[in-house]
Amino acid sequence: MLKIIISPAKKMVINEDHDTDLSAPVYLEKTKYLYEQLKNMTLEELKSLWRCSDKLVSQNHERLHTYDPEKYLTPALFSYEGIQYQHIAARVLDSTSLDYVSSHLRILSGLYGILKPFDGVIPYRLEMQNLLNTKQIRDLYTFWSDSIYQELIAEDTTHIVNLASTEYSKSVLPFVTSAVTFVTCTFGEEINGKIKVKGTNAKIARGEMVRYLAENNIEDIEGIKHFDYLGYKFNPSYSSEKELVFCKSDS
């Protein structure tokens, strides 16, 4: 089976207006442990951890003391509001495409480790690279170790399509064995013979790629190469067995 991994988004919403049966995140016990660590931190400690504005620190501190990971509210796929998720456009996917993302798409998370699209979540702030350092935790990469990868391959996964940022793919890549094909999709512009990746455009393209895979029921690496949304085309000259490069020509 082919699995797709994507990053979460910082901005989250609560949306209980859905007709989806919520599933429990697979590592909920680990999530509860991390959540308790965060709840016990002071505002100053949280500000140092999150490195964000006072307003966001206050908002997320309040969330920590309002919500409970066991009383989840929103399907993960509908809870994140970043650019990538806007272009996945999950709410307009038909039932067949939603079935595809349910079985193939996985969201990586600092708090939850790994999420299925319809796992129930609450709003939180914890990036994988945040230096959450306690007596029991050195950092989140160490905390999660190979557990994210082990869950990814639990359903006879043969291909992993990486649409996640480096921050999140680092939680999987060190553990990949030769039995699994791990392929990263890169989206850029061909300028003067070189590929230039622009952050916002790449996030948009990743979202469009998820939608393309779902709408076309893609099950193999070759099928990915036919992606042609937003003017991107597969470029074999820049690609390799481990990286599929999609680019736009000089404008």
Side-chain angles (χ1 to χ4, degrees), residues 30 34 110 128-148 170-171 174-175:
K30 285 177 171 285
L34 290 176
M128 191 66 76
Q129 64 185 1
N130 284 157
L131 297 176
L132 182 61
N133 193 325
T134 71
K135 291 181 180 179
Q136 292 80 28
I137 305 171
R138 189 177 72 192
D139 57 56
L140 290 172
Y141 294 107
T142 304
F143 177 80
W144 289 112
S145 186
D146 70 340
S147 57
I148 295 174
K170 279 171 57 179
S171 66
F175 307 104

Side-chain angles (χ1 to χ4, degrees), residues 65-198:
H65 297 274
T66 301
Y67 302 113
D68 181 341
E70 288 190 289
K71 299 176 181 178
Y72 34 77
L73 303 168
T74 307
L77 187 59
F78 299 152
S79 70
Y80 297 107
E81 277 208 324
I83 295 172
Q84 181 176 13
Y85 290 84
Q86 294 171 26
H87 285 264
I88 293 174
R91 292 194 177 280
V92 300
L93 292 176
D94 62 25
S95 59
T96 301
S97 296
L98 286 175
D99 286 343
Y100 178 94
V101 297
S102 179
S103 60
H104 293 75
L105 183 66
R106 297 295 180 263
I107 303 166
L108 308 186
S109 164
L111 181 65
Y112 290 96
I114 184 169
L115 291 162
K116 296 178 180 178
F118 300 109
D119 283 350
V121 299
I122 56 175
Y124 68 92
R125 188 180 184 94
L126 187 64
E127 298 174 60
M128 191 66 76
Q129 64 185 1
N130 284 157
L131 297 176
L132 182 61
N133 193 325
T134 71
K135 291 181 180 179
Q136 292 80 28
I137 305 171
R138 189 177 72 192
D139 57 56
L140 290 172
Y141 294 107
T142 304
F143 177 80
W144 289 112
S145 186
D146 70 340
S147 57
I148 295 174
Y149 178 68
Q150 292 303 323
E151 176 61 20
L152 267 177
I153 63 172
E155 301 172 283
D156 296 323
T157 299
T158 53
H159 305 295
I160 297 175
V161 180
N162 177 28
L163 295 174
S165 66
T166 301
E167 171 190 349
Y168 285 92
S169 59
K170 279 171 57 179
S171 66
V172 175
L173 190 54
F175 307 104
V176 177
T177 67
S178 58
V180 175
T181 302
F182 186 94
V183 176
T184 296
C185 292
T186 298
F187 303 93
E189 298 180 22
E190 187 178 11
I191 301 175
N192 297 324
K194 295 182 179 180
I195 299 299
K196 302 291 185 182
V197 177
K198 298 180 180 179

